[in-house]
Amino acid sequence: NRTFDLLAPSVSDGRDHNLRPELRLREQGDGSYGAEGAVDLFPTTPEELCEIMEMAQSRRATSATDANSVSSRSHAVCRIRLRHSKGQLMLVDCAGTERKKDSMYHTKERQQEGAEINASLHALKECIRALTTQQRVPSHAYRASSLTKVLADAFIRADAARLAVVC
């Protein structure tokens, strides 16, 4: 349940591992969350935006599983802020859910990773369920995971239009 900046340069941990800096999610006055220390880039062309997104995608944690040869082991969120309209578009690519029977022979570390993925997907499901049934998401629901904290702005802005494409 940690948050990393895929746009930031990697840092060495002293053991020949290059790691992305971990971000702290800080609650803002309006209930949304900001990623303290996140890199902001300002592409001026569609091609630059595509290059940035491809770079971030190439830095995601992936691993082979029984179901896929290349499986995302993390969620990815891309927030595109629209300067003129003050709006934003959030693109979210969720890691796949882990079935217990598929992960029986995984290491403890991989099983823990799968449990964290499942927990964050459950928190996202609960937020969407609350939004569709109650027209609002209680703050305890989006505080349940880093993924839903990052998406909190979409859950608390009742006046905003929403579109979700989940993959």
Side-chain angles (χ1 to χ4, degrees), residues 107-119:
T107 64
K108 286 278 188 206
E109 182 180 274
R110 283 288 300 280
Q111 288 178 354
Q112 178 64 32
E113 184 180 78
E116 288 175 6
I117 289 169
N118 288 346

Side-chain angles (χ1 to χ4, degrees), residues 87-137:
Q88 67 180 354
L89 171 65
M90 293 179 88
L91 305 173
V92 182
D93 183 11
C94 293
T97 186
E98 289 283 316
R99 295 185 308 184
K100 191 164 183 93
K101 73 176 189 171
D102 291 339
S103 62
M104 312 190 320
Y105 303 109
H106 290 171
T107 64
K108 286 278 188 206
E109 182 180 274
R110 283 288 300 280
Q111 288 178 354
Q112 178 64 32
E113 184 180 78
E116 288 175 6
I117 289 169
N118 288 346
S120 63
L121 290 172
H122 177 74
L124 178 60
K125 178 187 80 168
E126 291 303 312
C127 288
I128 293 168
R129 178 178 286 152
L131 190 60
T132 58
T133 59
Q134 303 166 16
Q135 282 67 53
R136 63 177 288 282
V137 179

Side-chain angles (χ1 to χ4, degrees), residues 136-153:
R136 63 177 288 282
V137 179
S139 60
H140 73 272
Y142 61 78
R143 288 184 179 132
S145 81
S146 291
L147 174 63
T148 51
K149 284 179 183 177
V150 170
L151 299 175
D153 192 42

Side-chain angles (χ1 to χ4, degrees), residues 15 32-34 40 43 65 69 78 95 102 104 111 125 139 164:
R15 297 178 295 188
S32 66
Y33 283 78
D40 283 328
T65 65
S69 59
C78 175
D102 291 339
M104 312 190 320
Q111 288 178 354
K125 178 187 80 168
S139 60

